[in-house]
Amino acid sequence: MSNNPSRRKFLQAGLALPAAGLVSSTGLGAALQDSPRVVYRTLGKTGLKVSGVGYGIGFVPVTEVVARALDMGINYFDTSRDYGDSEKIFAGVIKGRDRSKFHIATKSPSRRKEDILKDLDTSLKELGTDYVDIWHLHARDTPAAVPDEAVEAMQMCKQSGKARFVGISCHDPNRMADFLIETRVFDVMQTTYSFPIGGYYRDRAIKKLQDAGIGVIAMKVVVALTGLNLKDLTNPPAREGEGPLAGIKWVLNNPAIGTTVPFMETIPELEMNFRAMSEEFTPADEKLLYVMNEQIRPDYCRMCYECSGACPKGLPVTDMLRYLAYNDFCGKFHQAQANFRGLPREIQDVRCSDCSECAIRCPNGVHVQARLMRAQQLLA
Ligand code: SF4
Ligand code: SF4
Protein backbone atom coordinates (compact mmCIF):
# COMPACT_ATOMS: atom_id res chain seq x y z
CA MET A 1 0.00 0.00 0.00
CA SER A 2 2.50 2.54 1.11
CA ASN A 3 4.61 2.20 -2.04
CA ASN A 4 1.82 3.62 -4.17
CA PRO A 5 2.24 7.37 -4.69
CA SER A 6 -1.44 8.00 -5.11
CA ARG A 7 -2.22 5.99 -2.00
CA ARG A 8 0.44 7.87 -0.03
CA LYS A 9 -1.16 11.16 -0.94
CA PHE A 10 -4.50 9.94 0.35
CA LEU A 11 -2.97 8.67 3.57
CA GLN A 12 -1.24 11.97 4.21
CA ALA A 13 -4.25 14.08 3.43
CA GLY A 14 -6.36 13.09 6.45
CA LEU A 15 -10.11 13.26 6.80
CA ALA A 16 -12.60 14.72 9.22
CA LEU A 17 -12.99 12.63 12.37
CA PRO A 18 -16.19 10.57 12.47
CA ALA A 19 -18.64 10.76 15.33
CA ALA A 20 -17.64 8.41 18.11
CA GLY A 21 -21.21 7.75 19.26
CA LEU A 22 -22.37 4.17 19.00
CA VAL A 23 -25.52 2.75 17.56
CA SER A 24 -26.30 -0.81 18.47
CA SER A 25 -28.19 -2.60 15.73
CA THR A 26 -28.28 -5.86 13.87
CA GLY A 27 -30.48 -4.61 11.04
CA LEU A 28 -29.18 -3.17 7.81
CA GLY A 29 -31.96 -0.59 7.75
CA ALA A 30 -30.61 0.98 10.92
CA ALA A 31 -27.27 1.39 9.21
CA LEU A 32 -28.45 4.33 7.15
CA GLN A 33 -27.40 7.14 9.43
CA ASP A 34 -26.29 10.66 8.71
CA SER A 35 -22.87 10.53 10.32
CA PRO A 36 -20.30 7.76 10.50
CA ARG A 37 -21.01 5.45 13.40
CA VAL A 38 -20.57 1.88 14.49
CA VAL A 39 -23.25 -0.56 13.46
CA TYR A 40 -23.15 -3.93 15.18
CA ARG A 41 -24.25 -7.16 13.55
CA THR A 42 -24.82 -10.61 14.99
CA LEU A 43 -22.15 -13.20 14.22
CA GLY A 44 -24.26 -16.26 13.49
CA LYS A 45 -25.26 -18.51 16.35
CA THR A 46 -22.46 -17.19 18.54
CA GLY A 47 -24.77 -14.27 19.28
CA LEU A 48 -21.72 -12.01 19.49
CA LYS A 49 -22.50 -8.42 18.54
CA VAL A 50 -19.64 -7.41 16.30
CA SER A 51 -18.89 -4.17 14.50
CA GLY A 52 -19.44 -4.56 10.75
CA VAL A 53 -15.96 -3.20 10.21
CA GLY A 54 -13.54 -5.20 12.33
CA TYR A 55 -9.78 -5.02 12.25
CA GLY A 56 -7.20 -7.38 10.81
CA ILE A 57 -4.20 -7.13 13.15
CA GLY A 58 -1.76 -8.31 10.48
CA PHE A 59 2.01 -8.09 10.30
CA VAL A 60 3.39 -5.04 12.12
CA PRO A 61 0.15 -3.37 13.25
CA VAL A 62 0.33 0.35 13.99
CA THR A 63 -0.58 0.65 17.66
CA GLU A 64 -2.03 4.19 17.44
CA VAL A 65 -4.43 3.11 14.71
CA VAL A 66 -5.53 0.00 16.60
CA ALA A 67 -6.09 2.07 19.77
CA ARG A 68 -8.12 4.62 17.81
CA ALA A 69 -10.26 1.81 16.38
CA LEU A 70 -11.03 0.59 19.90
CA ASP A 71 -11.91 4.13 20.96
CA MET A 72 -14.26 4.44 18.00
CA GLY A 73 -16.17 1.31 19.05
CA ILE A 74 -14.75 -1.21 16.61
CA ASN A 75 -14.91 -4.38 18.67
CA TYR A 76 -13.70 -7.29 16.52
CA PHE A 77 -9.96 -7.88 16.20
CA ASP A 78 -8.43 -10.72 14.22
CA THR A 79 -4.86 -11.74 14.85
CA SER A 80 -2.47 -14.70 14.68
CA ARG A 81 1.07 -15.59 15.66
CA ASP A 82 1.48 -16.56 12.01
CA TYR A 83 1.64 -12.79 11.45
CA GLY A 84 4.87 -12.29 13.37
CA ASP A 85 4.46 -10.38 16.64
CA SER A 86 0.84 -9.51 15.87
CA GLU A 87 -0.58 -10.96 19.13
CA LYS A 88 2.11 -9.42 21.30
CA ILE A 89 1.72 -5.97 19.77
CA PHE A 90 -2.06 -6.14 20.11
CA ALA A 91 -1.65 -7.17 23.77
CA GLY A 92 0.20 -3.91 24.39
CA VAL A 93 -2.72 -1.91 22.98
CA ILE A 94 -5.46 -3.65 24.99
CA LYS A 95 -3.55 -3.66 28.27
CA GLY A 96 -5.67 -1.94 30.92
CA ARG A 97 -8.80 -1.82 28.74
CA ASP A 98 -12.11 -3.44 29.70
CA ARG A 99 -11.81 -6.92 28.15
CA SER A 100 -15.59 -7.29 27.88
CA LYS A 101 -15.77 -4.42 25.38
CA PHE A 102 -14.05 -6.17 22.46
CA HIS A 103 -13.70 -9.58 20.86
CA ILE A 104 -10.42 -11.27 19.99
CA ALA A 105 -9.96 -13.92 17.32
CA THR A 106 -6.69 -15.74 16.83
CA LYS A 107 -5.49 -18.93 15.16
CA SER A 108 -3.57 -22.18 15.34
CA PRO A 109 -1.52 -23.39 12.37
CA SER A 110 -1.28 -26.92 13.87
CA ARG A 111 -3.00 -30.17 12.98
CA ARG A 112 -2.17 -32.36 15.96
CA LYS A 113 -4.35 -32.25 19.08
CA GLU A 114 -1.61 -31.59 21.59
CA ASP A 115 -0.13 -28.82 19.41
CA ILE A 116 -3.48 -27.06 19.02
CA LEU A 117 -4.04 -27.13 22.78
CA LYS A 118 -0.53 -25.82 23.36
CA ASP A 119 -0.97 -23.13 20.71
CA LEU A 120 -4.02 -21.80 22.53
CA ASP A 121 -2.16 -21.52 25.83
CA THR A 122 0.68 -19.72 24.08
CA SER A 123 -1.74 -17.31 22.39
CA LEU A 124 -3.46 -16.51 25.68
CA LYS A 125 -0.09 -15.75 27.23
CA GLU A 126 0.99 -13.56 24.31
CA LEU A 127 -2.33 -11.71 24.30
CA GLY A 128 -2.39 -11.25 28.08
CA THR A 129 -5.93 -12.58 28.39
CA ASP A 130 -7.49 -15.71 29.88
CA TYR A 131 -9.85 -16.38 26.96
CA VAL A 132 -10.26 -15.65 23.29
CA ASP A 133 -13.64 -15.12 21.70
CA ILE A 134 -12.86 -17.04 18.51
CA TRP A 135 -10.18 -19.71 18.14
CA HIS A 136 -9.55 -20.65 14.52
CA LEU A 137 -7.71 -23.39 12.73
CA HIS A 138 -5.69 -21.29 10.32
CA ALA A 139 -5.82 -21.59 6.51
CA ARG A 140 -7.71 -24.88 6.03
CA ASP A 141 -8.72 -25.08 2.39
CA THR A 142 -9.67 -28.76 2.30
CA PRO A 143 -11.37 -31.02 4.84
CA ALA A 144 -8.21 -33.16 4.80
CA ALA A 145 -6.45 -30.27 6.52
CA VAL A 146 -8.79 -30.73 9.51
CA PRO A 147 -8.14 -34.24 10.86
CA ASP A 148 -10.39 -35.74 13.54
CA GLU A 149 -7.89 -35.00 16.29
CA ALA A 150 -7.94 -31.31 15.31
CA VAL A 151 -11.73 -31.27 15.61
CA GLU A 152 -11.45 -32.95 19.00
CA ALA A 153 -8.89 -30.40 20.13
CA MET A 154 -11.15 -27.52 19.12
CA GLN A 155 -13.99 -29.04 21.11
CA MET A 156 -11.70 -29.31 24.12
CA CYS A 157 -10.62 -25.67 23.73
CA LYS A 158 -14.25 -24.62 23.87
CA GLN A 159 -15.11 -26.88 26.79
CA SER A 160 -12.19 -25.47 28.78
CA GLY A 161 -13.61 -21.95 28.46
CA LYS A 162 -10.33 -20.69 27.04
CA ALA A 163 -12.07 -20.24 23.67
CA ARG A 164 -15.67 -19.09 23.65
CA PHE A 165 -16.22 -20.16 20.06
CA VAL A 166 -14.24 -22.00 17.38
CA GLY A 167 -13.87 -21.65 13.64
CA ILE A 168 -11.66 -22.13 10.64
CA SER A 169 -10.14 -19.65 8.24
CA CYS A 170 -10.06 -20.66 4.57
CA HIS A 171 -9.77 -19.11 1.12
CA ASP A 172 -12.44 -21.22 -0.57
CA PRO A 173 -15.74 -21.55 1.32
CA ASN A 174 -17.12 -23.80 -1.42
CA ARG A 175 -14.79 -26.58 -0.38
CA MET A 176 -15.31 -26.13 3.36
CA ALA A 177 -18.95 -25.12 3.97
CA ASP A 178 -20.48 -28.62 3.98
CA PHE A 179 -17.65 -29.98 6.10
CA LEU A 180 -18.10 -27.24 8.66
CA ILE A 181 -21.86 -27.72 8.82
CA GLU A 182 -21.65 -31.51 9.08
CA THR A 183 -18.95 -31.47 11.75
CA ARG A 184 -21.28 -29.55 14.12
CA VAL A 185 -18.36 -28.22 16.14
CA PHE A 186 -17.43 -24.98 14.41
CA ASP A 187 -19.29 -21.75 15.07
CA VAL A 188 -17.74 -19.47 12.43
CA MET A 189 -15.85 -19.40 9.16
CA GLN A 190 -13.44 -16.65 8.14
CA THR A 191 -13.10 -16.56 4.38
CA THR A 192 -12.27 -14.42 1.36
CA TYR A 193 -15.23 -12.38 0.17
CA SER A 194 -14.99 -9.28 -1.97
CA PHE A 195 -16.36 -7.51 -5.02
CA PRO A 196 -17.35 -8.86 -7.46
CA ILE A 197 -16.26 -12.41 -8.12
CA GLY A 198 -16.11 -13.15 -4.41
CA GLY A 199 -19.85 -12.80 -4.40
CA TYR A 200 -20.60 -14.68 -7.60
CA TYR A 201 -18.48 -17.69 -6.69
CA ARG A 202 -19.12 -17.72 -2.98
CA ASP A 203 -22.71 -16.63 -2.34
CA ARG A 204 -24.22 -20.14 -2.32
CA ALA A 205 -21.71 -21.41 0.23
CA ILE A 206 -22.09 -18.27 2.34
CA LYS A 207 -25.89 -18.63 2.34
CA LYS A 208 -25.58 -22.28 3.39
CA LEU A 209 -23.41 -21.24 6.30
CA GLN A 210 -25.86 -18.53 7.26
CA ASP A 211 -28.78 -20.98 7.18
CA ALA A 212 -26.81 -23.32 9.45
CA GLY A 213 -26.19 -20.48 11.90
CA ILE A 214 -22.46 -20.35 11.20
CA GLY A 215 -21.11 -16.82 11.45
CA VAL A 216 -19.15 -15.55 8.46
CA ILE A 217 -16.18 -13.20 8.76
CA ALA A 218 -15.09 -11.68 5.46
CA MET A 219 -11.38 -11.24 4.85
CA LYS A 220 -9.36 -9.82 1.95
CA VAL A 221 -12.23 -7.38 1.49
CA VAL A 222 -10.21 -4.55 -0.05
CA VAL A 223 -6.93 -6.12 -1.18
CA ALA A 224 -7.77 -5.58 -4.84
CA LEU A 225 -8.86 -2.01 -4.26
CA THR A 226 -6.10 -0.53 -2.15
CA GLY A 227 -3.03 -0.76 -4.36
CA LEU A 228 -4.40 0.92 -7.42
CA ASN A 229 -3.19 4.12 -8.87
CA LEU A 230 -6.57 5.78 -8.97
CA LYS A 231 -5.37 8.45 -11.34
CA ASP A 232 -5.38 5.80 -14.05
CA LEU A 233 -9.13 5.43 -13.81
CA THR A 234 -11.30 6.96 -16.48
CA ASN A 235 -13.70 8.14 -13.78
CA PRO A 236 -11.63 8.46 -10.61
CA PRO A 237 -13.48 8.69 -7.30
CA ALA A 238 -13.92 12.11 -5.76
CA ARG A 239 -11.69 11.09 -2.86
CA GLU A 240 -9.00 8.45 -2.89
CA GLY A 241 -9.82 5.64 -0.51
CA GLU A 242 -13.36 5.51 -1.81
CA GLY A 243 -12.56 2.28 -3.66
CA PRO A 244 -11.94 0.37 -0.41
CA LEU A 245 -14.91 2.16 1.20
CA ALA A 246 -17.19 1.06 -1.64
CA GLY A 247 -15.72 -2.44 -1.46
CA ILE A 248 -16.50 -2.84 2.25
CA LYS A 249 -19.97 -1.38 1.78
CA TRP A 250 -20.57 -3.96 -0.95
CA VAL A 251 -19.50 -6.77 1.40
CA LEU A 252 -21.67 -5.50 4.25
CA ASN A 253 -24.63 -5.30 1.92
CA ASN A 254 -24.81 -9.08 2.29
CA PRO A 255 -26.65 -9.74 5.59
CA ALA A 256 -24.94 -13.15 5.88
CA ILE A 257 -21.64 -11.41 6.59
CA GLY A 258 -21.05 -10.79 10.30
CA THR A 259 -17.95 -8.65 10.11
CA THR A 260 -14.95 -7.76 7.96
CA VAL A 261 -11.29 -7.66 8.95
CA PRO A 262 -9.40 -5.16 6.78
CA PHE A 263 -5.83 -4.36 7.78
CA MET A 264 -5.50 -0.61 8.35
CA GLU A 265 -2.26 1.29 8.63
CA THR A 266 -3.28 4.89 9.16
CA ILE A 267 -5.96 6.90 10.94
CA PRO A 268 -7.39 8.34 7.69
CA GLU A 269 -7.63 4.84 6.25
CA LEU A 270 -9.39 3.62 9.40
CA GLU A 271 -11.79 6.53 9.34
CA MET A 272 -12.61 6.04 5.68
CA ASN A 273 -13.31 2.32 6.16
CA PHE A 274 -15.31 3.07 9.33
CA ARG A 275 -17.87 4.92 7.23
CA ALA A 276 -18.81 1.69 5.50
CA MET A 277 -20.91 0.67 8.51
CA SER A 278 -23.36 3.55 8.33
CA GLU A 279 -23.37 4.49 4.65
CA GLU A 280 -25.60 2.98 2.02
CA PHE A 281 -24.10 1.08 -0.93
CA THR A 282 -25.05 3.32 -3.84
CA PRO A 283 -25.18 2.98 -7.64
CA ALA A 284 -22.13 5.30 -7.72
CA ASP A 285 -20.24 2.81 -5.52
CA GLU A 286 -21.23 0.00 -7.81
CA LYS A 287 -20.10 1.92 -10.87
CA LEU A 288 -16.77 2.71 -9.24
CA LEU A 289 -16.20 -0.92 -8.33
CA TYR A 290 -16.99 -2.07 -11.86
CA VAL A 291 -14.54 0.43 -13.30
CA MET A 292 -11.84 -0.63 -10.87
CA ASN A 293 -12.56 -4.27 -11.53
CA GLU A 294 -11.92 -3.78 -15.23
CA GLN A 295 -8.67 -2.02 -14.44
CA ILE A 296 -7.34 -4.88 -12.35
CA ARG A 297 -8.78 -7.67 -14.52
CA PRO A 298 -5.51 -9.00 -16.04
CA ASP A 299 -3.57 -8.76 -12.79
CA TYR A 300 -5.82 -9.71 -9.90
CA CYS A 301 -6.86 -13.31 -9.33
CA ARG A 302 -10.43 -13.42 -8.03
CA MET A 303 -9.76 -16.69 -6.20
CA CYS A 304 -12.61 -18.52 -7.89
CA TYR A 305 -10.56 -21.75 -7.88
CA GLU A 306 -11.88 -22.64 -11.36
CA CYS A 307 -8.33 -23.43 -12.45
CA SER A 308 -7.55 -25.77 -9.56
CA GLY A 309 -5.56 -28.77 -10.77
CA ALA A 310 -5.29 -27.40 -14.32
CA CYS A 311 -1.54 -26.79 -14.34
CA PRO A 312 0.20 -29.96 -15.59
CA LYS A 313 3.22 -29.08 -13.45
CA GLY A 314 1.12 -29.01 -10.32
CA LEU A 315 1.34 -25.29 -9.52
CA PRO A 316 -1.19 -24.09 -6.91
CA VAL A 317 -2.04 -21.19 -9.20
CA THR A 318 -4.60 -19.45 -6.99
CA ASP A 319 -2.31 -19.46 -3.96
CA MET A 320 0.69 -18.23 -5.92
CA LEU A 321 -1.29 -15.39 -7.48
CA ARG A 322 -2.53 -14.44 -4.01
CA TYR A 323 1.05 -14.24 -2.72
CA LEU A 324 1.95 -11.97 -5.62
CA ALA A 325 -1.07 -9.78 -4.82
CA TYR A 326 0.28 -9.26 -1.29
CA ASN A 327 3.19 -7.48 -2.96
CA ASP A 328 1.56 -5.87 -5.97
CA PHE A 329 -1.65 -4.72 -4.34
CA CYS A 330 -0.64 -4.27 -0.69
CA GLY A 331 3.08 -3.48 -0.89
CA LYS A 332 3.87 -6.40 1.44
CA PHE A 333 6.93 -7.93 -0.20
CA HIS A 334 8.11 -9.89 2.84
CA GLN A 335 4.72 -11.49 3.37
CA ALA A 336 4.57 -12.40 -0.33
CA GLN A 337 8.06 -13.85 -0.33
CA ALA A 338 7.57 -15.79 2.92
CA ASN A 339 4.46 -17.42 1.50
CA PHE A 340 6.14 -18.24 -1.80
CA ARG A 341 9.15 -19.73 -0.04
CA GLY A 342 6.83 -21.89 2.06
CA LEU A 343 5.84 -23.81 -1.09
CA PRO A 344 7.44 -27.24 -1.70
CA ARG A 345 10.89 -26.92 -3.32
CA GLU A 346 9.78 -28.64 -6.54
CA ILE A 347 6.94 -26.13 -6.94
CA GLN A 348 9.20 -23.15 -6.27
CA ASP A 349 11.56 -24.41 -8.97
CA VAL A 350 8.96 -24.52 -11.77
CA ARG A 351 9.39 -21.72 -14.32
CA CYS A 352 6.33 -20.73 -16.34
CA SER A 353 8.68 -19.23 -18.93
CA ASP A 354 9.55 -22.83 -19.90
CA CYS A 355 6.00 -23.42 -21.17
CA SER A 356 5.39 -22.41 -24.77
CA GLU A 357 1.73 -22.02 -23.91
CA CYS A 358 -0.08 -21.95 -20.57
CA ALA A 359 -2.68 -24.67 -20.00
CA ILE A 360 -4.87 -22.27 -18.03
CA ARG A 361 -7.52 -20.07 -19.61
CA CYS A 362 -8.79 -17.90 -16.82
CA PRO A 363 -12.52 -17.13 -17.25
CA ASN A 364 -11.95 -13.88 -15.37
CA GLY A 365 -9.31 -12.59 -17.72
CA VAL A 366 -6.25 -12.97 -15.50
CA HIS A 367 -3.01 -13.23 -17.48
CA VAL A 368 -1.94 -16.31 -15.57
CA GLN A 369 1.37 -17.13 -17.22
CA ALA A 370 2.63 -13.55 -17.15
CA ARG A 371 1.61 -13.12 -13.51
CA LEU A 372 3.23 -16.36 -12.43
CA MET A 373 6.43 -15.49 -14.30
CA ARG A 374 6.49 -12.24 -12.34
CA ALA A 375 5.91 -14.12 -9.06
CA GLN A 376 8.76 -16.53 -9.85
CA GLN A 377 11.15 -13.73 -10.78
CA LEU A 378 10.27 -11.56 -7.78
CA LEU A 379 9.67 -14.00 -4.94
CA ALA A 380 11.83 -17.11 -5.59
S1 SF4 B 1 -6.50 -17.47 -12.11
FE1 SF4 B 1 -8.56 -17.11 -12.86
S2 SF4 B 1 -9.51 -19.13 -12.86
FE2 SF4 B 1 -7.72 -19.26 -11.54
S3 SF4 B 1 -8.50 -18.82 -9.49
FE3 SF4 B 1 -7.74 -16.90 -10.36
S4 SF4 B 1 -9.56 -15.93 -11.24
FE4 SF4 B 1 -10.07 -18.10 -10.93
S1 SF4 C 1 2.66 -21.55 -17.71
FE1 SF4 C 1 0.70 -22.39 -17.06
S2 SF4 C 1 0.82 -24.55 -17.51
FE2 SF4 C 1 2.92 -23.79 -17.54
S3 SF4 C 1 3.70 -24.11 -15.46
FE3 SF4 C 1 2.84 -22.06 -15.53
S4 SF4 C 1 0.73 -22.28 -14.83
FE4 SF4 C 1 1.46 -24.32 -15.37
Side-chain angles (χ1 to χ4, degrees):
M1 255 179 291
S2 54
N3 63 353
N4 180 306
S6 179
R7 182 79 180 151
R8 268 204 307 273
K9 197 178 115 213
F10 157 63
L11 297 177
Q12 286 160 1
L15 292 162
L17 290 178
L22 309 182
V23 169
S24 184
S25 168
T26 55
L28 294 179
L32 309 179
Q33 305 289 336
D34 293 329
S35 57
R37 65 193 64 230
V38 176
V39 176
Y40 296 105
R41 302 155 73 102
T42 305
L43 187 59
K45 64 187 174 189
T46 70
L48 295 179
K49 297 288 185 272
V50 292
S51 49
V53 174
Y55 202 124
I57 309 286
F59 287 93
V60 205
V62 182
T63 55
E64 296 77 18
V65 184
V66 180
R68 175 71 179 126
L70 280 156
D71 294 341
M72 291 162 79
I74 286 177
N75 74 349
Y76 190 88
F77 296 84
D78 176 69
T79 182
S80 169
R81 270 178 294 115
D82 286 341
Y83 315 144
D85 287 335
S86 174
E87 286 181 343
K88 206 181 281 182
I89 296 170
F90 183 59
V93 180
I94 59 175
K95 199 170 180 188
R97 288 183 184 255
D98 182 348
R99 178 67 182 82
S100 68
K101 299 283 187 207
F102 54 89
H103 306 303
I104 305 175
T106 190
K107 312 182 186 80
S108 168
S110 303
R111 293 191 183 202
R112 294 176 53 221
K113 183 166 105 180
E114 63 197 60
D115 294 335
I116 293 168
L117 297 174
K118 209 161 93 191
D119 287 345
L120 179 54
D121 286 336
T122 308
S123 282
L124 294 177
K125 202 167 152 211
E126 293 282 297
L127 286 162
T129 183
D130 52 8
Y131 71 93
V132 291
D133 297 279
I134 308 283
W135 178 232
H136 286 292
L137 292 175
H138 198 182
R140 309 300 155 116
D141 282 324
T142 62
V146 190
D148 289 349
E149 64 174 303
V151 177
E152 194 189 333
M154 296 304 269
Q155 255 170 326
M156 290 171 69
C157 291
K158 205 152 69 158
Q159 281 157 2
S160 71
K162 294 176 184 174
R164 293 177 71 193
F165 301 102
V166 295
I168 62 155
S169 69
C170 69
H171 293 97
D172 184 6
N174 295 311
R175 280 190 285 183
M176 294 304 287
D178 288 339
F179 172 79
L180 230 66
I181 293 164
E182 284 159 19
T183 310
R184 294 175 179 272
V185 167
F186 296 95
D187 306 290
V188 300
M189 177 192 281
Q190 178 161 315
T191 192
T192 51
Y193 189 77
S194 61
F195 178 88
I197 306 295
Y200 177 76
Y201 282 99
R202 286 161 170 74
D203 277 348
R204 261 186 57 204
I206 301 287
K207 179 75 170 62
K208 250 191 212 178
L209 292 166
Q210 182 190 29
D211 291 346
I214 292 178
V216 182
I217 300 137
M219 64 178 180
K220 312 273 192 299
V221 287
V222 295
V223 168
L225 308 170
T226 50
L228 295 168
N229 185 342
L230 299 175
K231 284 177 189 145
D232 291 345
L233 292 178
T234 314
N235 300 303
R239 275 185 293 190
E240 294 172 34
E242 289 191 349
L245 172 63
I248 300 174
K249 283 200 273 181
W250 182 87
V251 171
L252 292 178
N253 218 24
N254 183 344
I257 301 297
T259 185
T260 56
V261 286
F263 177 73
M264 297 176 274
E265 288 182 302
T266 69
I267 299 285
E269 188 179 12
L270 162 68
E271 289 171 348
M272 186 63 117
N273 290 347
F274 185 91
R275 289 170 39 189
M277 286 185 279
S278 54
E279 287 187 8
E280 196 176 359
F281 181 72
T282 64
D285 291 323
E286 190 164 17
K287 191 174 168 193
L288 172 62
L289 291 177
Y290 270 106
V291 171
M292 295 175 91
N293 185 49
E294 286 312 307
Q295 190 188 34
I296 63 174
R297 183 170 293 288
D299 298 320
Y300 188 72
C301 167
R302 274 66 169 181
M303 290 183 268
C304 72
Y305 288 89
E306 291 278 306
C307 62
S308 293
C311 168
K313 295 184 181 173
L315 294 191
V317 171
T318 316
D319 291 340
M320 293 175 71
L321 294 176
R322 174 162 52 84
Y323 305 156
L324 183 61
Y326 292 150
N327 179 73
D328 288 0
F329 287 83
C330 305
K332 300 193 182 308
F333 173 74
H334 294 296
Q335 185 180 352
Q337 190 178 57
N339 277 283
F340 187 93
R341 292 185 176 177
L343 291 167
R345 187 73 252 171
E346 64 276 15
I347 294 294
Q348 287 187 52
D349 289 344
V350 172
R351 289 293 171 270
C352 289
S353 52
D354 293 339
C355 290
S356 54
E357 194 180 351
C358 182
I360 296 167
R361 294 278 170 276
C362 171
N364 297 308
V366 177
H367 294 176
V368 173
Q369 186 173 20
R371 293 296 288 161
L372 289 176
M373 283 167 58
R374 173 170 164 75
Q376 289 152 357
Q377 280 160 4
L378 193 71
L379 307 174

Coordinates of all heavy atoms in Angstrom, one line a residue, residues 17 54 95 100 136 139 150 166 193 337 361:
L17 N -12.8 13.7 11.4 CA -13.0 12.6 12.4 C -14.5 12.3 12.4 O -15.3 13.1 12.4 CB -12.6 13.0 13.8 CG -11.1 13.2 14.0 CD1 -10.9 13.7 15.5 CD2 -10.3 11.9 13.8
G54 N -14.5 -4.7 11.3 CA -13.5 -5.2 12.3 C -12.1 -4.8 12.0 O -11.9 -3.8 11.2
K95 N -3.9 -3.6 26.9 CA -3.5 -3.7 28.3 C -4.3 -2.5 29.0 O -4.2 -1.4 28.7 CB -2.0 -3.5 28.4 CG -1.5 -4.0 29.7 CD 0.0 -4.0 29.8 CE 0.4 -4.5 31.1 NZ 1.8 -4.4 31.4
S100 N -14.2 -6.9 28.3 CA -15.6 -7.3 27.9 C -16.1 -6.4 26.7 O -17.1 -6.7 26.1 CB -16.6 -7.2 29.0 OG -16.7 -5.8 29.4
H136 N -9.5 -20.1 15.9 CA -9.6 -20.7 14.5 C -8.5 -21.7 14.3 O -7.3 -21.6 14.8 CB -9.3 -19.6 13.5 CG -10.4 -18.6 13.2 ND1 -11.6 -18.9 12.7 CD2 -10.4 -17.2 13.5 CE1 -12.3 -17.8 12.6 NE2 -11.6 -16.8 13.0
A139 N -6.1 -21.3 7.9 CA -5.8 -21.6 6.5 C -6.1 -23.1 6.2 O -5.2 -23.8 5.8 CB -4.4 -21.2 6.1
A150 N -7.9 -32.8 15.3 CA -7.9 -31.3 15.3 C -9.3 -30.9 15.7 O -9.5 -29.9 16.5 CB -7.6 -30.7 13.9
V166 N -15.3 -21.5 18.2 CA -14.2 -22.0 17.4 C -14.6 -21.9 15.9 O -15.8 -21.9 15.6 CB -13.8 -23.5 17.7 CG1 -13.2 -23.5 19.1 CG2 -15.0 -24.4 17.6
Y193 N -13.9 -12.8 0.7 CA -15.2 -12.4 0.2 C -15.1 -10.9 -0.2 O -14.9 -10.0 0.6 CB -16.3 -12.5 1.2 CG -17.7 -12.3 0.6 CD1 -18.3 -13.3 -0.1 CD2 -18.4 -11.1 0.8 CE1 -19.6 -13.1 -0.7 CE2 -19.7 -10.9 0.3 CZ -20.3 -11.9 -0.5 OH -21.5 -11.7 -1.0
Q337 N 6.9 -13.0 -0.2 CA 8.1 -13.8 -0.3 C 8.0 -15.0 0.7 O 8.3 -16.2 0.3 CB 9.3 -13.1 -0.1 CG 10.6 -13.8 -0.5 CD 11.8 -13.0 -0.4 OE1 12.1 -12.5 0.7 NE2 12.6 -12.8 -1.5
R361 N -6.8 -21.2 -19.0 CA -7.5 -20.1 -19.6 C -8.4 -19.5 -18.5 O -9.5 -20.1 -18.2 CB -8.4 -20.6 -20.8 CG -7.6 -21.1 -22.0 CD -7.1 -20.0 -22.9 NE -6.2 -20.4 -23.9 CZ -4.9 -20.6 -23.7 NH1 -4.3 -20.3 -22.5 NH2 -4.1 -21.0 -24.6

